[in-house]
Amino acid sequence: MTNIALDAETIESPSLRREDGAGQTSLHGELLAALRDYIVEGNLADGARVPERLLCNRFGISRTPLREALKVLAAEGLIELLPNRGARVRALSADDLRELFDVMGGLEALAGRLACERISDEDIAEIEQIHHEMYRFYLRRDMHGYFQCNQDIHRMIVAAAGNATLSATYNSIAGRIRRVRYSANLDKERDRWGEAMREHEAILDALRRRAGSELSDIMFLHLRNKRKAAQHQSAAQTGDESSST
Amino acid sequence: MTNIALDAETIESPSLRREDGAGQTSLHGELLAALRDYIVEGNLADGARVPERLLCNRFGISRTPLREALKVLAAEGLIELLPNRGARVRALSADDLRELFDVMGGLEALAGRLACERISDEDIAEIEQIHHEMYRFYLRRDMHGYFQCNQDIHRMIVAAAGNATLSATYNSIAGRIRRVRYSANLDKERDRWGEAMREHEAILDALRRRAGSELSDIMFLHLRNKRKAAQHQSAAQTGDESSST
DNA sequence: CGGCGATGTTTTGCATTCATTTTTGTCTTT
DNA sequence: AAAGACAAAAATGAATGCAAAACATCGCCG
């Protein structure tokens, strides 16, 4: 009776692990997360239509729960629904990226401000530790490690804000941005790298002093600079590669 | 063949106007908006279960599109889905309100900052006009008119930020907050009223000077004070009414 | 008399079905 | 040969059907 028998052995059920141990994971929630990852990880090209039938087989479910998940993803802004023409992966225009980065900057600015109000010395110490680790990666020119630490720090600041609504909103925006590939050649932006390190120093300094308003500014500008770097690189990719001004 | 004939004349189709004129309104979108309004406007009590069958009749649709809309509203945070136990209207705890107000403050702070970067003199003049109108309402102690202008100003600043993603996020958060009833006896908070007016003066001043960072601070603190007022009042309502300290 | 378990009803979640719409492929016409 | 028209095929959007879970009612036993 299952729809699994449709195309014989088409089914790999790539995700959808039904771990019922701790959290009640209500197929819908699982599927939603799986499908979101599937799209965020770039398994579908920009603007491509979302193949319902295929995904149904892929995840071993019928169209109803899949379509429910699609509506949610559309509300999140990850895909768009064209009436009678199905769902498309939403391609991010340069303007969309500008918007997303700025909103992300606003949310991080808020996170910094709130974090100053309630962060403990221990949490600051923990962030400092990651920061030093990140610095070592920076000295070693280890992009991957640096990037990891960088993300951890930002995540920790958002967490330190103690605001679940903020975290959820932040994650949603971050997920949408994550779709774009900052093809790892950030090496070209060596200057930016050093600048980013200095900004992180300033972030830590403001955090230590619990200077909320100040940290808020720094966080926003930090993201603004990140945005500029991303835009610059994006332009360099789509345009000619040689003209580095 | 319509399912309208279910319970004879039960159908009033309270919303769901199918205006096909300009925008393609894809039943799903219509239903989503209608259902959101239905809940935001308080037609269902806090924590009440969302009656699928009833709403299907109410809107003249089957369970499938309704359930799709419910998933989206759950993702938005307006309702919560309990596995195998349907949807409940999400009751906002004091902590939820704190979070929502702070996020709203962060978003308005961002809106102010961005608005300073790109707002035109004409738009500022327009805001000033509303501001003066609001001031007249304030002098006349006309709560309703004041409140209307107030909201208009905040909306205009968000719009002036020129960031659709920000607007969407802002509207989502604002919608969730709107569920709580600031039962119109804000009169009790006369002091706060004057304070709010002064804050709005400062907002306009910063906006005129395009002092983004400064405006950002003011906006956040403005919302923070609003939050305090709301919390204070909420406490007064749930607790004893007489102790106005 | 109160707590507990069985049984029938309702509700939920998902699969399936059905009516439209869109898309594709072919054929005709100029 | 290109453009348009038509028809077949597929996909979409919504309704309905069905198994399982929750809920309620009632009888049973302590």
Side-chain angles (χ1 to χ4, degrees):
Chain A
M1 278 314 133
T2 73
N3 58 351
I4 308 248
L6 268 180
D7 261 325
E9 73 304 317
T10 52
I11 307 308
E12 289 297 314
S13 189
S15 328
L16 274 288
R17 61 272 150 78
R18 211 105 173 68
E19 52 181 63
D20 229 296
Q24 36 200 356
T25 46
S26 72
L27 179 56
H28 170 72
E30 287 260 344
L31 175 64
L32 185 58
L35 192 57
R36 188 169 16 228
D37 288 350
Y38 187 83
I39 293 177
V40 167
E41 282 168 18
N43 296 78
L44 287 137
D46 268 12
R49 63 193 292 156
V50 180
E52 288 190 7
R53 194 65 56 91
L54 182 72
L55 291 175
C56 286
N57 293 3
R58 197 100 167 60
F59 293 110
I61 46 146
S62 82
R63 285 179 57 218
T64 307
L66 181 82
R67 299 184 94 258
E68 288 173 353
L70 288 180
K71 307 286 194 215
V72 174
L73 294 182
E76 287 179 10
L78 217 62
I79 63 179
E80 51 192 347
L81 300 171
L82 293 82
N84 287 321
R85 301 166 110 233
R88 304 272 154 120
V89 176
R90 184 162 165 196
L92 293 180
S93 68
D95 236 47
D96 289 330
L97 268 186
R98 170 185 64 80
E99 294 196 358
L100 286 169
F101 266 106
D102 275 356
V103 172
M104 186 123 147
L107 293 175
E108 293 214 14
L110 172 63
R113 193 192 289 272
L114 295 179
C116 283
E117 291 178 355
R118 47 164 62 211
I119 196 169
S120 66
D121 291 338
E122 291 74 35
D123 286 341
I124 288 185
E126 204 177 336
I127 292 179
E128 278 177 328
Q129 197 177 325
I130 309 284
H131 178 81
H132 293 321
E133 198 179 332
M134 182 172 82
Y135 188 58
R136 286 193 291 276
F137 281 124
Y138 167 68
L139 290 181
R140 269 189 271 150
R141 291 292 185 256
D142 180 336
M143 273 287 297
H144 184 69
Y146 170 85
F147 205 70
Q148 202 65 45
C149 289
N150 189 343
Q151 278 206 323
D152 283 347
I153 290 173
H154 283 263
R155 256 199 300 267
M156 287 169 82
I157 292 177
V158 171
N163 187 315
T165 306
L166 169 58
S167 295
T169 309
Y170 178 82
N171 286 332
S172 171
I173 299 291
R176 284 168 70 181
I177 289 189
R178 204 169 306 134
R179 255 195 63 78
V180 304
R181 275 278 155 275
Y182 305 119
S183 45
N185 59 350
L186 278 172
D187 301 279
K188 294 187 175 174
E189 310 277 350
R190 297 263 171 170
D191 318 342
R192 168 66 194 143
W193 204 353
E195 190 185 46
M197 267 309 302
R198 285 193 296 279
E199 285 167 7
H200 266 262
E201 299 277 4
I203 288 171
L204 253 184
D205 178 56
L207 195 56
R208 275 193 217 98
R209 290 183 286 112
R210 265 82 169 178
S213 170
E214 191 179 328
L215 178 54
S216 179
D217 273 3
I218 296 173
M219 294 297 278
F220 179 77
L221 292 177
H222 179 56
L223 264 287
R224 190 42 90 76
N225 289 335
K226 207 165 177 175
R227 175 188 113 181
K228 279 180 188 157
Q231 283 175 333
H232 184 262
Q233 190 188 341
S234 164
Q237 278 177 2
T238 58
D240 49 352
E241 303 261 359
S242 53
S243 79
S244 58
T245 306
Chain B
M1 275 316 131
T2 73
N3 58 351
I4 307 249
L6 267 181
D7 261 325
E9 74 302 317
T10 50
I11 307 308
E12 290 297 314
S13 189
S15 329
L16 276 286
R17 59 274 152 77
R18 211 106 172 68
E19 51 182 65
D20 228 297
Q24 37 202 356
T25 47
S26 72
L27 178 58
H28 170 72
E30 287 260 344
L31 175 64
L32 185 58
L35 193 56
R36 188 170 17 228
D37 288 351
Y38 187 83
I39 293 177
V40 167
E41 281 168 18
N43 295 77
L44 287 129
D46 268 13
R49 62 194 292 159
V50 180
E52 287 189 8
R53 195 66 57 89
L54 181 73
L55 290 175
C56 286
N57 293 4
R58 195 98 167 63
F59 293 109
I61 47 148
S62 80
R63 284 179 56 218
T64 306
L66 181 82
R67 299 184 95 256
E68 288 173 353
L70 289 180
K71 307 286 194 214
V72 175
L73 294 182
E76 287 179 10
L78 217 63
I79 63 179
E80 51 192 347
L81 300 171
L82 293 85
N84 289 320
R85 301 164 108 235
R88 304 272 156 118
V89 176
R90 183 161 166 196
L92 293 179
S93 67
D95 236 47
D96 289 330
L97 268 186
R98 168 185 65 80
E99 293 196 358
L100 285 169
F101 265 105
D102 275 356
V103 172
M104 186 123 146
L107 293 175
E108 293 213 14
L110 172 62
R113 193 191 292 270
L114 295 179
C116 284
E117 292 178 355
R118 46 163 63 212
I119 195 169
S120 67
D121 290 339
E122 292 73 36
D123 285 342
I124 289 185
E126 204 178 336
I127 291 178
E128 278 177 328
Q129 199 177 324
I130 308 285
H131 178 81
H132 294 320
E133 199 179 331
M134 183 172 82
Y135 187 59
R136 286 193 291 276
F137 282 124
Y138 167 68
L139 292 179
R140 271 188 270 150
R141 291 291 184 260
D142 180 335
M143 274 286 298
H144 184 70
Y146 170 85
F147 205 70
Q148 201 66 44
C149 289
N150 189 342
Q151 279 207 322
D152 284 346
I153 290 174
H154 282 263
R155 257 198 299 267
M156 287 169 80
I157 291 177
V158 171
N163 187 314
T165 306
L166 169 59
S167 295
T169 309
Y170 178 81
N171 286 333
S172 172
I173 299 291
R176 285 167 69 180
I177 288 190
R178 205 170 304 133
R179 255 195 62 78
V180 303
R181 275 279 155 272
Y182 306 119
S183 46
N185 60 351
L186 279 171
D187 302 280
K188 293 187 176 176
E189 309 277 351
R190 296 266 171 171
D191 319 342
R192 167 66 193 143
W193 203 354
E195 190 186 43
M197 268 308 303
R198 285 193 297 279
E199 285 167 8
H200 266 262
E201 298 277 4
I203 288 171
L204 252 184
D205 178 55
L207 194 56
R208 276 193 217 99
R209 289 183 286 113
R210 265 81 169 179
S213 170
E214 193 179 326
L215 180 54
S216 179
D217 273 3
I218 297 173
M219 294 297 278
F220 178 76
L221 292 176
H222 179 55
L223 263 286
R224 190 42 90 76
N225 290 334
K226 208 166 178 174
R227 176 188 113 181
K228 278 180 189 156
Q231 284 176 331
H232 184 261
Q233 190 189 340
S234 164
Q237 276 177 3
T238 57
D240 50 351
E241 303 259 3
S242 53
S243 77
S244 59
T245 306

